[in-house]
Amino acid sequence: MGGPFAGGAILVGQSIGGGYRFGKDQWENGMAAKHDGHLGAVYAASKPEEIAGVYDAWAESYDAEMAVAGYRHPSIGLALLARHLPRGAGPLLDAGVGTGLIGPWLGIIGYGPVEGLDISAGMLAVAARKGAYAALHHLALGGVLPFADGAYAGIISTGVFTTGHVGAEALAELVRVCRPGGVLVLTVKDTVWQGGFAAEVARLVAAGRIAVAEETAPYVSMPGEVGTVPSRAVVLRVL
């Protein structure tokens, strides 16, 4: 594609309403109020449109700010993907792609083609400039995705299952669009894990839809950001 979106067309999809969410219990347990600046504003947003707007405003400085915070989710997610999905597998979906932090790295380690989706058009525009994505979709997680069953060989989602963003309601749909034998690599904030995500994983395991291939110990995703609630990463293999 030509123009500012070289390397990946931005495709407009479903409404963002009903996707990213914010709950009072997550505010109380996730301690969003501890964070300042853009991060605090994201955690304080109460509607999907507000979250998208904050990310739109943050897009141009996001990569630099997260580097200062020592953001670990992308590198942990990539390490787990490389351990559990063969090199050359594709296509992949970067669910909650943001500015495309991991897109170039996915190509470097041998995966592709890669598509991404995100709630924020501003973030997608930054991701598109990196030229690492075959397609970028303006979509929210949490509802029905416009992809066929088994469309992707693997799915990676880092920093998305967190306070005020996405919870367990998005998991089954991601499983649906990942082909049997493929993997989902997800980072999950502990408050989200304990608030229904672990139970949804157990339900899908009992239903014979997935197996847990790996689960990390809890870790702090942003050691440079005081008040960060621990997260964990999990690898789910689709059956």
Side-chain angles (χ1 to χ4, degrees), residues 26 73 76 157-163 166-168 171 185-198 201 215-219 221 229-236:
Q26 289 180 309
H73 281 328
I76 290 170
S157 184
T158 60
V160 176
F161 291 92
T162 187
T163 307
V166 182
L171 182 56
V185 176
L186 314 171
T187 66
V188 186
K189 185 81 77 177
D190 273 3
T191 47
V192 175
W193 182 263
Q194 296 158 6
F197 198 94
V201 169
E215 178 185 338
T216 71
Y219 62 90
S221 63
V229 175
S231 301
R232 71 192 67 203
V234 62
V235 181
L236 308 175

PDB file of all heavy atoms in Angstrom, residues 26 73 76 157-163 166-168 171 185-198 201 215-219 221 229-236:
ATOM      1  N   GLN A  26     -12.015  -3.031  39.422  1.00  0.00           N
ATOM      2  CA  GLN A  26     -10.658  -2.916  38.907  1.00  0.00           C
ATOM      3  C   GLN A  26     -10.010  -1.618  39.375  1.00  0.00           C
ATOM      4  O   GLN A  26      -8.807  -1.575  39.611  1.00  0.00           O
ATOM      5  CB  GLN A  26     -10.661  -2.992  37.385  1.00  0.00           C
ATOM      6  CG  GLN A  26     -10.983  -4.393  36.872  1.00  0.00           C
ATOM      7  CD  GLN A  26     -10.971  -4.425  35.379  1.00  0.00           C
ATOM      8  OE1 GLN A  26     -11.607  -3.615  34.726  1.00  0.00           O
ATOM      9  NE2 GLN A  26     -10.265  -5.379  34.819  1.00  0.00           N
ATOM     10  N   HIS A  73       6.368  -6.296  28.875  1.00  0.00           N
ATOM     11  CA  HIS A  73       5.409  -7.205  28.238  1.00  0.00           C
ATOM     12  C   HIS A  73       5.810  -7.637  26.822  1.00  0.00           C
ATOM     13  O   HIS A  73       5.729  -8.828  26.499  1.00  0.00           O
ATOM     14  CB  HIS A  73       4.020  -6.566  28.186  1.00  0.00           C
ATOM     15  CG  HIS A  73       3.259  -6.633  29.471  1.00  0.00           C
ATOM     16  ND1 HIS A  73       3.369  -7.661  30.379  1.00  0.00           N
ATOM     17  CD2 HIS A  73       2.300  -5.794  29.977  1.00  0.00           C
ATOM     18  CE1 HIS A  73       2.554  -7.448  31.401  1.00  0.00           C
ATOM     19  NE2 HIS A  73       1.904  -6.331  31.182  1.00  0.00           N
ATOM     20  N   ILE A  76       8.692 -10.276  26.857  1.00  0.00           N
ATOM     21  CA  ILE A  76       8.248 -11.541  27.453  1.00  0.00           C
ATOM     22  C   ILE A  76       7.316 -12.271  26.491  1.00  0.00           C
ATOM     23  O   ILE A  76       7.435 -13.483  26.283  1.00  0.00           O
ATOM     24  CB  ILE A  76       7.572 -11.278  28.813  1.00  0.00           C
ATOM     25  CG1 ILE A  76       8.626 -10.824  29.829  1.00  0.00           C
ATOM     26  CG2 ILE A  76       6.834 -12.526  29.317  1.00  0.00           C
ATOM     27  CD1 ILE A  76       8.058 -10.321  31.134  1.00  0.00           C
ATOM     28  N   SER A 157      -0.915 -10.945  22.400  1.00  0.00           N
ATOM     29  CA  SER A 157      -1.604  -9.777  22.950  1.00  0.00           C
ATOM     30  C   SER A 157      -0.887  -9.380  24.229  1.00  0.00           C
ATOM     31  O   SER A 157      -0.994 -10.061  25.244  1.00  0.00           O
ATOM     32  CB  SER A 157      -3.079 -10.091  23.229  1.00  0.00           C
ATOM     33  OG  SER A 157      -3.770  -8.943  23.668  1.00  0.00           O
ATOM     34  N   THR A 158      -0.138  -8.278  24.176  1.00  0.00           N
ATOM     35  CA  THR A 158       0.647  -7.848  25.328  1.00  0.00           C
ATOM     36  C   THR A 158       0.166  -6.498  25.832  1.00  0.00           C
ATOM     37  O   THR A 158      -0.032  -5.572  25.060  1.00  0.00           O
ATOM     38  CB  THR A 158       2.144  -7.759  24.965  1.00  0.00           C
ATOM     39  OG1 THR A 158       2.336  -6.823  23.918  1.00  0.00           O
ATOM     40  CG2 THR A 158       2.676  -9.121  24.523  1.00  0.00           C
ATOM     41  N   GLY A 159      -0.056  -6.414  27.147  1.00  0.00           N
ATOM     42  CA  GLY A 159      -0.485  -5.164  27.757  1.00  0.00           C
ATOM     43  C   GLY A 159      -1.924  -4.806  27.512  1.00  0.00           C
ATOM     44  O   GLY A 159      -2.326  -3.664  27.735  1.00  0.00           O
ATOM     45  N   VAL A 160      -2.723  -5.765  27.098  1.00  0.00           N
ATOM     46  CA  VAL A 160      -4.124  -5.506  26.738  1.00  0.00           C
ATOM     47  C   VAL A 160      -5.088  -5.985  27.821  1.00  0.00           C
ATOM     48  O   VAL A 160      -6.050  -5.285  28.156  1.00  0.00           O
ATOM     49  CB  VAL A 160      -4.462  -6.166  25.385  1.00  0.00           C
ATOM     50  CG1 VAL A 160      -5.929  -6.004  25.042  1.00  0.00           C
ATOM     51  CG2 VAL A 160      -3.587  -5.587  24.285  1.00  0.00           C
ATOM     52  N   PHE A 161      -4.841  -7.153  28.377  1.00  0.00           N
ATOM     53  CA  PHE A 161      -5.703  -7.681  29.443  1.00  0.00           C
ATOM     54  C   PHE A 161      -5.251  -7.063  30.765  1.00  0.00           C
ATOM     55  O   PHE A 161      -4.548  -7.667  31.564  1.00  0.00           O
ATOM     56  CB  PHE A 161      -5.639  -9.210  29.467  1.00  0.00           C
ATOM     57  CG  PHE A 161      -6.293  -9.845  28.275  1.00  0.00           C
ATOM     58  CD1 PHE A 161      -5.547 -10.152  27.141  1.00  0.00           C
ATOM     59  CD2 PHE A 161      -7.657 -10.108  28.271  1.00  0.00           C
ATOM     60  CE1 PHE A 161      -6.154 -10.721  26.028  1.00  0.00           C
ATOM     61  CE2 PHE A 161      -8.277 -10.671  27.162  1.00  0.00           C
ATOM     62  CZ  PHE A 161      -7.513 -10.970  26.039  1.00  0.00           C
ATOM     63  N   THR A 162      -5.697  -5.818  30.969  1.00  0.00           N
ATOM     64  CA  THR A 162      -5.214  -5.015  32.082  1.00  0.00           C
ATOM     65  C   THR A 162      -6.327  -4.112  32.594  1.00  0.00           C
ATOM     66  O   THR A 162      -7.444  -4.107  32.048  1.00  0.00           O
ATOM     67  CB  THR A 162      -3.987  -4.188  31.641  1.00  0.00           C
ATOM     68  OG1 THR A 162      -3.428  -3.531  32.780  1.00  0.00           O
ATOM     69  CG2 THR A 162      -4.357  -3.146  30.596  1.00  0.00           C
ATOM     70  N   THR A 163      -6.018  -3.353  33.618  1.00  0.00           N
ATOM     71  CA  THR A 163      -7.007  -2.492  34.254  1.00  0.00           C
ATOM     72  C   THR A 163      -7.699  -1.579  33.258  1.00  0.00           C
ATOM     73  O   THR A 163      -7.045  -0.842  32.517  1.00  0.00           O
ATOM     74  CB  THR A 163      -6.324  -1.633  35.330  1.00  0.00           C
ATOM     75  OG1 THR A 163      -5.608  -2.469  36.222  1.00  0.00           O
ATOM     76  CG2 THR A 163      -7.345  -0.804  36.098  1.00  0.00           C
ATOM     77  N   VAL A 166      -9.404  -4.823  28.676  1.00  0.00           N
ATOM     78  CA  VAL A 166     -10.105  -6.022  28.217  1.00  0.00           C
ATOM     79  C   VAL A 166     -10.017  -7.102  29.288  1.00  0.00           C
ATOM     80  O   VAL A 166      -8.993  -7.230  29.966  1.00  0.00           O
ATOM     81  CB  VAL A 166      -9.469  -6.547  26.903  1.00  0.00           C
ATOM     82  CG1 VAL A 166     -10.209  -7.771  26.394  1.00  0.00           C
ATOM     83  CG2 VAL A 166      -9.478  -5.451  25.847  1.00  0.00           C
ATOM     84  N   GLY A 167     -11.086  -7.880  29.416  1.00  0.00           N
ATOM     85  CA  GLY A 167     -11.120  -8.958  30.399  1.00  0.00           C
ATOM     86  C   GLY A 167     -11.446 -10.285  29.762  1.00  0.00           C
ATOM     87  O   GLY A 167     -11.281 -10.490  28.548  1.00  0.00           O
ATOM     88  N   ALA A 168     -11.945 -11.186  30.581  1.00  0.00           N
ATOM     89  CA  ALA A 168     -12.179 -12.566  30.172  1.00  0.00           C
ATOM     90  C   ALA A 168     -13.173 -12.689  29.025  1.00  0.00           C
ATOM     91  O   ALA A 168     -13.162 -13.683  28.287  1.00  0.00           O
ATOM     92  CB  ALA A 168     -12.669 -13.377  31.372  1.00  0.00           C
ATOM     93  N   LEU A 171     -11.694 -13.651  25.533  1.00  0.00           N
ATOM     94  CA  LEU A 171     -10.829 -14.809  25.327  1.00  0.00           C
ATOM     95  C   LEU A 171     -11.407 -15.817  24.348  1.00  0.00           C
ATOM     96  O   LEU A 171     -10.712 -16.294  23.439  1.00  0.00           O
ATOM     97  CB  LEU A 171     -10.513 -15.478  26.667  1.00  0.00           C
ATOM     98  CG  LEU A 171      -9.572 -16.678  26.601  1.00  0.00           C
ATOM     99  CD1 LEU A 171      -8.263 -16.315  25.926  1.00  0.00           C
ATOM    100  CD2 LEU A 171      -9.320 -17.224  28.010  1.00  0.00           C
ATOM    101  N   VAL A 185      -0.583 -16.122  23.016  1.00  0.00           N
ATOM    102  CA  VAL A 185       0.359 -15.641  24.019  1.00  0.00           C
ATOM    103  C   VAL A 185      -0.209 -14.345  24.572  1.00  0.00           C
ATOM    104  O   VAL A 185      -0.326 -13.353  23.841  1.00  0.00           O
ATOM    105  CB  VAL A 185       1.759 -15.420  23.424  1.00  0.00           C
ATOM    106  CG1 VAL A 185       2.695 -14.833  24.476  1.00  0.00           C
ATOM    107  CG2 VAL A 185       2.316 -16.728  22.865  1.00  0.00           C
ATOM    108  N   LEU A 186      -0.562 -14.352  25.847  1.00  0.00           N
ATOM    109  CA  LEU A 186      -1.279 -13.232  26.442  1.00  0.00           C
ATOM    110  C   LEU A 186      -0.600 -12.804  27.735  1.00  0.00           C
ATOM    111  O   LEU A 186      -0.187 -13.647  28.537  1.00  0.00           O
ATOM    112  CB  LEU A 186      -2.726 -13.631  26.772  1.00  0.00           C
ATOM    113  CG  LEU A 186      -3.508 -14.402  25.696  1.00  0.00           C
ATOM    114  CD1 LEU A 186      -4.820 -14.904  26.269  1.00  0.00           C
ATOM    115  CD2 LEU A 186      -3.747 -13.516  24.482  1.00  0.00           C
ATOM    116  N   THR A 187      -0.501 -11.501  27.960  1.00  0.00           N
ATOM    117  CA  THR A 187      -0.124 -10.999  29.275  1.00  0.00           C
ATOM    118  C   THR A 187      -1.395 -10.538  29.978  1.00  0.00           C
ATOM    119  O   THR A 187      -2.266  -9.928  29.359  1.00  0.00           O
ATOM    120  CB  THR A 187       0.889  -9.852  29.189  1.00  0.00           C
ATOM    121  OG1 THR A 187       0.284  -8.714  28.563  1.00  0.00           O
ATOM    122  CG2 THR A 187       2.136 -10.291  28.407  1.00  0.00           C
ATOM    123  N   VAL A 188      -1.484 -10.836  31.266  1.00  0.00           N
ATOM    124  CA  VAL A 188      -2.726 -10.587  32.010  1.00  0.00           C
ATOM    125  C   VAL A 188      -2.390  -9.969  33.366  1.00  0.00           C
ATOM    126  O   VAL A 188      -1.630 -10.547  34.149  1.00  0.00           O
ATOM    127  CB  VAL A 188      -3.520 -11.896  32.226  1.00  0.00           C
ATOM    128  CG1 VAL A 188      -4.880 -11.597  32.861  1.00  0.00           C
ATOM    129  CG2 VAL A 188      -3.689 -12.659  30.924  1.00  0.00           C
ATOM    130  N   LYS A 189      -2.950  -8.798  33.628  1.00  0.00           N
ATOM    131  CA  LYS A 189      -2.796  -8.171  34.935  1.00  0.00           C
ATOM    132  C   LYS A 189      -3.401  -9.078  36.009  1.00  0.00           C
ATOM    133  O   LYS A 189      -4.440  -9.697  35.792  1.00  0.00           O
ATOM    134  CB  LYS A 189      -3.505  -6.814  34.941  1.00  0.00           C
ATOM    135  CG  LYS A 189      -3.327  -6.013  36.208  1.00  0.00           C
ATOM    136  CD  LYS A 189      -2.018  -5.271  36.236  1.00  0.00           C
ATOM    137  CE  LYS A 189      -2.033  -4.041  35.371  1.00  0.00           C
ATOM    138  NZ  LYS A 189      -0.762  -3.284  35.462  1.00  0.00           N
ATOM    139  N   ASP A 190      -2.761  -9.163  37.181  1.00  0.00           N
ATOM    140  CA  ASP A 190      -3.231 -10.085  38.214  1.00  0.00           C
ATOM    141  C   ASP A 190      -4.663  -9.797  38.658  1.00  0.00           C
ATOM    142  O   ASP A 190      -5.419 -10.725  38.965  1.00  0.00           O
ATOM    143  CB  ASP A 190      -2.297 -10.042  39.427  1.00  0.00           C
ATOM    144  CG  ASP A 190      -1.131 -11.012  39.291  1.00  0.00           C
ATOM    145  OD1 ASP A 190      -1.005 -11.666  38.238  1.00  0.00           O
ATOM    146  OD2 ASP A 190      -0.338 -11.114  40.251  1.00  0.00           O
ATOM    147  N   THR A 191      -5.056  -8.524  38.696  1.00  0.00           N
ATOM    148  CA  THR A 191      -6.432  -8.211  39.075  1.00  0.00           C
ATOM    149  C   THR A 191      -7.424  -8.747  38.050  1.00  0.00           C
ATOM    150  O   THR A 191      -8.529  -9.177  38.403  1.00  0.00           O
ATOM    151  CB  THR A 191      -6.612  -6.695  39.228  1.00  0.00           C
ATOM    152  OG1 THR A 191      -6.026  -6.021  38.107  1.00  0.00           O
ATOM    153  CG2 THR A 191      -5.963  -6.196  40.503  1.00  0.00           C
ATOM    154  N   VAL A 192      -7.042  -8.746  36.769  1.00  0.00           N
ATOM    155  CA  VAL A 192      -7.891  -9.306  35.717  1.00  0.00           C
ATOM    156  C   VAL A 192      -7.881 -10.833  35.799  1.00  0.00           C
ATOM    157  O   VAL A 192      -8.918 -11.493  35.648  1.00  0.00           O
ATOM    158  CB  VAL A 192      -7.422  -8.824  34.332  1.00  0.00           C
ATOM    159  CG1 VAL A 192      -8.221  -9.481  33.216  1.00  0.00           C
ATOM    160  CG2 VAL A 192      -7.544  -7.309  34.237  1.00  0.00           C
ATOM    161  N   TRP A 193      -6.696 -11.407  36.039  1.00  0.00           N
ATOM    162  CA  TRP A 193      -6.570 -12.861  36.182  1.00  0.00           C
ATOM    163  C   TRP A 193      -7.474 -13.376  37.299  1.00  0.00           C
ATOM    164  O   TRP A 193      -8.217 -14.352  37.122  1.00  0.00           O
ATOM    165  CB  TRP A 193      -5.108 -13.208  36.454  1.00  0.00           C
ATOM    166  CG  TRP A 193      -4.834 -14.669  36.574  1.00  0.00           C
ATOM    167  CD1 TRP A 193      -4.737 -15.398  37.727  1.00  0.00           C
ATOM    168  CD2 TRP A 193      -4.621 -15.599  35.500  1.00  0.00           C
ATOM    169  NE1 TRP A 193      -4.482 -16.715  37.438  1.00  0.00           N
ATOM    170  CE2 TRP A 193      -4.403 -16.864  36.085  1.00  0.00           C
ATOM    171  CE3 TRP A 193      -4.583 -15.466  34.112  1.00  0.00           C
ATOM    172  CZ2 TRP A 193      -4.161 -18.003  35.317  1.00  0.00           C
ATOM    173  CZ3 TRP A 193      -4.338 -16.600  33.354  1.00  0.00           C
ATOM    174  CH2 TRP A 193      -4.132 -17.853  33.949  1.00  0.00           C
ATOM    175  N   GLN A 194      -7.423 -12.710  38.435  1.00  0.00           N
ATOM    176  CA  GLN A 194      -8.207 -13.141  39.590  1.00  0.00           C
ATOM    177  C   GLN A 194      -9.675 -12.735  39.478  1.00  0.00           C
ATOM    178  O   GLN A 194     -10.532 -13.296  40.175  1.00  0.00           O
ATOM    179  CB  GLN A 194      -7.602 -12.557  40.868  1.00  0.00           C
ATOM    180  CG  GLN A 194      -6.187 -13.060  41.150  1.00  0.00           C
ATOM    181  CD  GLN A 194      -5.398 -12.148  42.057  1.00  0.00           C
ATOM    182  OE1 GLN A 194      -5.920 -11.163  42.602  1.00  0.00           O
ATOM    183  NE2 GLN A 194      -4.105 -12.440  42.218  1.00  0.00           N
ATOM    184  N   GLY A 195      -9.968 -11.785  38.595  1.00  0.00           N
ATOM    185  CA  GLY A 195     -11.323 -11.265  38.466  1.00  0.00           C
ATOM    186  C   GLY A 195     -12.172 -11.955  37.417  1.00  0.00           C
ATOM    187  O   GLY A 195     -13.177 -11.398  36.971  1.00  0.00           O
ATOM    188  N   GLY A 196     -11.769 -13.153  36.994  1.00  0.00           N
ATOM    189  CA  GLY A 196     -12.580 -13.918  36.053  1.00  0.00           C
ATOM    190  C   GLY A 196     -11.802 -14.545  34.915  1.00  0.00           C
ATOM    191  O   GLY A 196     -12.288 -15.481  34.270  1.00  0.00           O
ATOM    192  N   PHE A 197     -10.584 -14.056  34.651  1.00  0.00           N
ATOM    193  CA  PHE A 197      -9.826 -14.586  33.526  1.00  0.00           C
ATOM    194  C   PHE A 197      -9.383 -16.023  33.778  1.00  0.00           C
ATOM    195  O   PHE A 197      -9.514 -16.885  32.891  1.00  0.00           O
ATOM    196  CB  PHE A 197      -8.607 -13.707  33.244  1.00  0.00           C
ATOM    197  CG  PHE A 197      -8.015 -13.912  31.882  1.00  0.00           C
ATOM    198  CD1 PHE A 197      -8.394 -13.109  30.821  1.00  0.00           C
ATOM    199  CD2 PHE A 197      -7.072 -14.905  31.655  1.00  0.00           C
ATOM    200  CE1 PHE A 197      -7.860 -13.293  29.559  1.00  0.00           C
ATOM    201  CE2 PHE A 197      -6.521 -15.094  30.403  1.00  0.00           C
ATOM    202  CZ  PHE A 197      -6.921 -14.292  29.351  1.00  0.00           C
ATOM    203  N   ALA A 198      -8.878 -16.299  34.973  1.00  0.00           N
ATOM    204  CA  ALA A 198      -8.449 -17.666  35.292  1.00  0.00           C
ATOM    205  C   ALA A 198      -9.620 -18.637  35.203  1.00  0.00           C
ATOM    206  O   ALA A 198      -9.468 -19.771  34.720  1.00  0.00           O
ATOM    207  CB  ALA A 198      -7.824 -17.715  36.684  1.00  0.00           C
ATOM    208  N   VAL A 201     -10.276 -19.360  31.527  1.00  0.00           N
ATOM    209  CA  VAL A 201      -9.288 -20.317  31.028  1.00  0.00           C
ATOM    210  C   VAL A 201      -9.673 -21.732  31.457  1.00  0.00           C
ATOM    211  O   VAL A 201      -9.662 -22.661  30.641  1.00  0.00           O
ATOM    212  CB  VAL A 201      -7.876 -19.956  31.533  1.00  0.00           C
ATOM    213  CG1 VAL A 201      -6.893 -21.100  31.253  1.00  0.00           C
ATOM    214  CG2 VAL A 201      -7.385 -18.666  30.892  1.00  0.00           C
ATOM    215  N   GLU A 215       2.600 -20.953  31.931  1.00  0.00           N
ATOM    216  CA  GLU A 215       2.168 -19.781  32.690  1.00  0.00           C
ATOM    217  C   GLU A 215       3.355 -19.287  33.489  1.00  0.00           C
ATOM    218  O   GLU A 215       3.993 -20.054  34.210  1.00  0.00           O
ATOM    219  CB  GLU A 215       1.007 -20.143  33.630  1.00  0.00           C
ATOM    220  CG  GLU A 215       0.522 -18.982  34.485  1.00  0.00           C
ATOM    221  CD  GLU A 215      -0.538 -19.408  35.492  1.00  0.00           C
ATOM    222  OE1 GLU A 215      -1.197 -20.453  35.273  1.00  0.00           O
ATOM    223  OE2 GLU A 215      -0.684 -18.713  36.520  1.00  0.00           O
ATOM    224  N   THR A 216       3.694 -18.015  33.364  1.00  0.00           N
ATOM    225  CA  THR A 216       4.836 -17.475  34.090  1.00  0.00           C
ATOM    226  C   THR A 216       4.455 -17.167  35.535  1.00  0.00           C
ATOM    227  O   THR A 216       3.278 -17.078  35.894  1.00  0.00           O
ATOM    228  CB  THR A 216       5.358 -16.181  33.451  1.00  0.00           C
ATOM    229  OG1 THR A 216       4.410 -15.119  33.687  1.00  0.00           O
ATOM    230  CG2 THR A 216       5.599 -16.353  31.960  1.00  0.00           C
ATOM    231  N   ALA A 217       5.474 -16.961  36.341  1.00  0.00           N
ATOM    232  CA  ALA A 217       5.261 -16.386  37.665  1.00  0.00           C
ATOM    233  C   ALA A 217       4.874 -14.919  37.497  1.00  0.00           C
ATOM    234  O   ALA A 217       5.198 -14.295  36.484  1.00  0.00           O
ATOM    235  CB  ALA A 217       6.537 -16.504  38.490  1.00  0.00           C
ATOM    236  N   PRO A 218       4.176 -14.343  38.471  1.00  0.00           N
ATOM    237  CA  PRO A 218       3.849 -12.918  38.383  1.00  0.00           C
ATOM    238  C   PRO A 218       5.108 -12.062  38.292  1.00  0.00           C
ATOM    239  O   PRO A 218       6.142 -12.370  38.888  1.00  0.00           O
ATOM    240  CB  PRO A 218       3.099 -12.654  39.690  1.00  0.00           C
ATOM    241  CG  PRO A 218       2.516 -13.983  40.057  1.00  0.00           C
ATOM    242  CD  PRO A 218       3.550 -14.987  39.643  1.00  0.00           C
ATOM    243  N   TYR A 219       5.030 -10.978  37.530  1.00  0.00           N
ATOM    244  CA  TYR A 219       6.152 -10.062  37.367  1.00  0.00           C
ATOM    245  C   TYR A 219       5.604  -8.641  37.222  1.00  0.00           C
ATOM    246  O   TYR A 219       4.436  -8.443  36.882  1.00  0.00           O
ATOM    247  CB  TYR A 219       6.997 -10.434  36.139  1.00  0.00           C
ATOM    248  CG  TYR A 219       6.249 -10.363  34.824  1.00  0.00           C
ATOM    249  CD1 TYR A 219       6.214  -9.194  34.066  1.00  0.00           C
ATOM    250  CD2 TYR A 219       5.563 -11.466  34.329  1.00  0.00           C
ATOM    251  CE1 TYR A 219       5.518  -9.119  32.865  1.00  0.00           C
ATOM    252  CE2 TYR A 219       4.863 -11.406  33.132  1.00  0.00           C
ATOM    253  CZ  TYR A 219       4.851 -10.233  32.410  1.00  0.00           C
ATOM    254  OH  TYR A 219       4.155 -10.161  31.219  1.00  0.00           O
ATOM    255  N   SER A 221       5.397  -5.397  35.157  1.00  0.00           N
ATOM    256  CA  SER A 221       5.584  -5.087  33.732  1.00  0.00           C
ATOM    257  C   SER A 221       6.305  -3.778  33.488  1.00  0.00           C
ATOM    258  O   SER A 221       6.938  -3.595  32.443  1.00  0.00           O
ATOM    259  CB  SER A 221       4.220  -5.055  33.028  1.00  0.00           C
ATOM    260  OG  SER A 221       3.411  -4.022  33.563  1.00  0.00           O
ATOM    261  N   VAL A 229       0.782  -2.867  39.273  1.00  0.00           N
ATOM    262  CA  VAL A 229       0.284  -4.145  39.781  1.00  0.00           C
ATOM    263  C   VAL A 229       0.907  -5.272  38.968  1.00  0.00           C
ATOM    264  O   VAL A 229       1.003  -5.173  37.746  1.00  0.00           O
ATOM    265  CB  VAL A 229      -1.257  -4.192  39.682  1.00  0.00           C
ATOM    266  CG1 VAL A 229      -1.800  -5.559  40.078  1.00  0.00           C
ATOM    267  CG2 VAL A 229      -1.872  -3.101  40.554  1.00  0.00           C
ATOM    268  N   PRO A 230       1.351  -6.361  39.607  1.00  0.00           N
ATOM    269  CA  PRO A 230       1.978  -7.457  38.852  1.00  0.00           C
ATOM    270  C   PRO A 230       1.047  -8.075  37.800  1.00  0.00           C
ATOM    271  O   PRO A 230      -0.182  -7.993  37.899  1.00  0.00           O
ATOM    272  CB  PRO A 230       2.323  -8.483  39.940  1.00  0.00           C
ATOM    273  CG  PRO A 230       2.450  -7.669  41.194  1.00  0.00           C
ATOM    274  CD  PRO A 230       1.419  -6.584  41.061  1.00  0.00           C
ATOM    275  N   SER A 231       1.676  -8.662  36.818  1.00  0.00           N
ATOM    276  CA  SER A 231       0.986  -9.379  35.749  1.00  0.00           C
ATOM    277  C   SER A 231       1.606 -10.775  35.625  1.00  0.00           C
ATOM    278  O   SER A 231       2.595 -11.086  36.295  1.00  0.00           O
ATOM    279  CB  SER A 231       1.129  -8.654  34.407  1.00  0.00           C
ATOM    280  OG  SER A 231       0.613  -7.342  34.467  1.00  0.00           O
ATOM    281  N   ARG A 232       1.042 -11.570  34.761  1.00  0.00           N
ATOM    282  CA  ARG A 232       1.644 -12.846  34.365  1.00  0.00           C
ATOM    283  C   ARG A 232       1.421 -13.017  32.874  1.00  0.00           C
ATOM    284  O   ARG A 232       0.570 -12.341  32.287  1.00  0.00           O
ATOM    285  CB  ARG A 232       1.042 -14.018  35.144  1.00  0.00           C
ATOM    286  CG  ARG A 232      -0.400 -14.341  34.752  1.00  0.00           C
ATOM    287  CD  ARG A 232      -1.011 -15.300  35.746  1.00  0.00           C
ATOM    288  NE  ARG A 232      -1.158 -14.660  37.041  1.00  0.00           N
ATOM    289  CZ  ARG A 232      -1.246 -15.342  38.191  1.00  0.00           C
ATOM    290  NH1 ARG A 232      -1.199 -16.673  38.191  1.00  0.00           N
ATOM    291  NH2 ARG A 232      -1.376 -14.694  39.336  1.00  0.00           N
ATOM    292  N   ALA A 233       2.174 -13.910  32.266  1.00  0.00           N
ATOM    293  CA  ALA A 233       1.954 -14.257  30.873  1.00  0.00           C
ATOM    294  C   ALA A 233       1.551 -15.709  30.792  1.00  0.00           C
ATOM    295  O   ALA A 233       2.002 -16.550  31.575  1.00  0.00           O
ATOM    296  CB  ALA A 233       3.215 -14.005  30.053  1.00  0.00           C
ATOM    297  N   VAL A 234       0.668 -16.009  29.833  1.00  0.00           N
ATOM    298  CA  VAL A 234       0.164 -17.368  29.681  1.00  0.00           C
ATOM    299  C   VAL A 234       0.172 -17.723  28.202  1.00  0.00           C
ATOM    300  O   VAL A 234      -0.059 -16.877  27.350  1.00  0.00           O
ATOM    301  CB  VAL A 234      -1.250 -17.491  30.292  1.00  0.00           C
ATOM    302  CG1 VAL A 234      -2.248 -16.575  29.591  1.00  0.00           C
ATOM    303  CG2 VAL A 234      -1.732 -18.927  30.295  1.00  0.00           C
ATOM    304  N   VAL A 235       0.492 -18.992  27.938  1.00  0.00           N
ATOM    305  CA  VAL A 235       0.465 -19.519  26.576  1.00  0.00           C
ATOM    306  C   VAL A 235      -0.629 -20.583  26.518  1.00  0.00           C
ATOM    307  O   VAL A 235      -0.604 -21.557  27.270  1.00  0.00           O
ATOM    308  CB  VAL A 235       1.816 -20.148  26.171  1.00  0.00           C
ATOM    309  CG1 VAL A 235       1.737 -20.666  24.732  1.00  0.00           C
ATOM    310  CG2 VAL A 235       2.938 -19.135  26.329  1.00  0.00           C
ATOM    311  N   LEU A 236      -1.601 -20.371  25.645  1.00  0.00           N
ATOM    312  CA  LEU A 236      -2.721 -21.279  25.489  1.00  0.00           C
ATOM    313  C   LEU A 236      -2.658 -21.924  24.109  1.00  0.00           C
ATOM    314  O   LEU A 236      -2.580 -21.211  23.104  1.00  0.00           O
ATOM    315  CB  LEU A 236      -4.049 -20.529  25.645  1.00  0.00           C
ATOM    316  CG  LEU A 236      -4.190 -19.678  26.919  1.00  0.00           C
ATOM    317  CD1 LEU A 236      -5.499 -18.893  26.881  1.00  0.00           C
ATOM    318  CD2 LEU A 236      -4.118 -20.545  28.166  1.00  0.00           C
TER     319      LEU A 236
END
